[in-house]
Amino acid sequence: MNEHDLEGSLQRALDATVEDGESDLENRLRPARLAEFIGQPRVREQLDLVLQGALRRGAPPDHVLLSGPPGLGKTSLAMIIGHELGSAVRITSGPALERAGDLAAMLSNLLEGDVLFIDEIHRMARPAEEMLYLAMEDFRVDVVVGKGPGATSIPLDVAPFTLVGATTRAGSLTGPLRDRFGFTAHMEFYEPSDLEQVLTRSARILEVDLRPDGAREIAGRSRGTPRIANRLLRRVRDYAEVRADGAVTRDVARAALAVYDVDELGLDRLDRAVLGALVRSFGGGPVGVSTLAVAVGEEPGTVEEVCEPYLVRAGMLARTPRGRVATPAAWRHLGQEPPADRSDDDRGQGTLFA
Ligand SMILES: Nc1ncnc2c1ncn2[C@@H]1O[C@H](COP(=O)(O)OP(=O)(O)OP(=O)(O)O)[C@@H](O)[C@H]1O
C-alpha cells in the first residue's frame, strides 16, 4: 500500500466517522460522566474500577467490549470512558473498516492514550480483524505493501491505546478477538424506575414539564431501553405542546402514546405485527425467524435484533430449537385465548425484568 492508498483509507474511515456522527440531540442527552450514567450498577462499578486503576498507573486501561441490544448505552459508555480518562475518542464502525488498510490508517493516527471506539465490531472484515489482534496485543501492525511475490510486510508501531468495541451480537465475535478484551460487559434492559430517572434527566435538559406520573407511564412503555424512552419523551412533548398545556402528565402520556401506537407494555406496531403473524398465520409457532420476517415484510436481522430481545424479556415470545413460539401471554395480549395445549409453564414464560 502506498502513501496515496493510506491517505484514501484514512479518509474513508474518517468519512465513516462523520456519517456515524450522532444527531445533536443524542449528543445533548448522552451522559458525559459515569456519575451521570443511570442504571447498570454492576457494569458501572466494574468499569469504574478499571478506569480508576488505569488512571492510578498512568497507563491506558485494558481493551473494553460492550455488548447488548440496541439503545442500552454502549456508545454512551464508550464516550464516558474517553471523558473519564481525559482522552480523545476516535469513532468508527465495523462495516466502515472494509480493508486492513482502513484500520491501519486509523491506528497510525492514534495518539498515546487515545480511545478507539468501533461500533458493531462483529461486522469487521476478517483481514482488518486479524490486523487488530496484533494492534491490541503488541501495539503494532504489519502493513503489507505491494502484491504477490514482491509484497513486503512493514511493521508499524501504534501508540498505546484503548479499544472499546460495541456489539449487539456478542456470539458473532471470533474467539481470538473476544479473548483480547480485558474487560467485557453485557448491558441489560433497564428497570422502569431507572428509565424514570433517564426521562427526568432528559426532560430537564430538554426543558419539558414532565410530571412524575407522566414519567412513570412513559418508562413503563419504553421496552427497558433509554433510547426509546428519550424518543417517546420527545413524541409526548409534541402532543403535550400541541394538544394540551405543555405538561406531561400520565393522561397526556397515555393519549400521546395511543396516537403513536405504543401499547401499555411498550409494544409498537412492528412488535404486534410479529406476534400477530406468529399467532394468526402460524398458529403460535414454532416458525423460523426468516419465515416470520417475510410475513411482516422485514429483514430477519431486524426481527431478531430489534424486536425479539424485548419480546422474549416481556415473556411474549420463546426462541426454541424448532423456531419461534408465541407464549400464552402473547395470545392474551392480542385478545385471543391460547390453545389448550399451550401452558404458561412450558413456554419459557419469563417476566419483563427477571
Ligand atoms: N444509562 C443511561 N443513562 C442515561 N441516558 C442513557 C443511558 N444509556 C443510554 N442513554 C441514552 O440513550 C441514547 C442511546 O444510547 P447509546 O447510543 O449509548 O446506545 P447504544 O447501546 O450504543 O445503541 P446502539 O447499539 O444502537 O449503538 C443515548 O443518546 C443516551 O442519551
Side-chain angles (χ1 to χ4, degrees), residues 2 15 17 20 35 49 51 72 83 109 123 144 182 189 210-211 258 297 323 332 335 339 354:
N2 59 35
D15 285 349
T17 299
D20 288 353
L49 283 172
L51 297 178
L72 298 192
H83 285 133
N109 281 281
R123 294 178 60 192
V144 176
F189 284 108
L210 175 65
R211 304 293 168 79
R332 295 189 193 102

Side-chain angles (χ1 to χ4, degrees), residues 26 29-31 36-38 69-76 119 168 190 198 201 226-227 230:
E26 279 235 322
L29 296 179
R30 194 180 289 292
E36 290 175 59
F37 191 87
I38 296 160
L72 298 192
K74 300 184 293 298
T75 303
S76 298
D119 200 1
T168 52
Y190 289 66
V198 170
R201 175 180 173 276
R227 170 177 288 137
N230 285 336

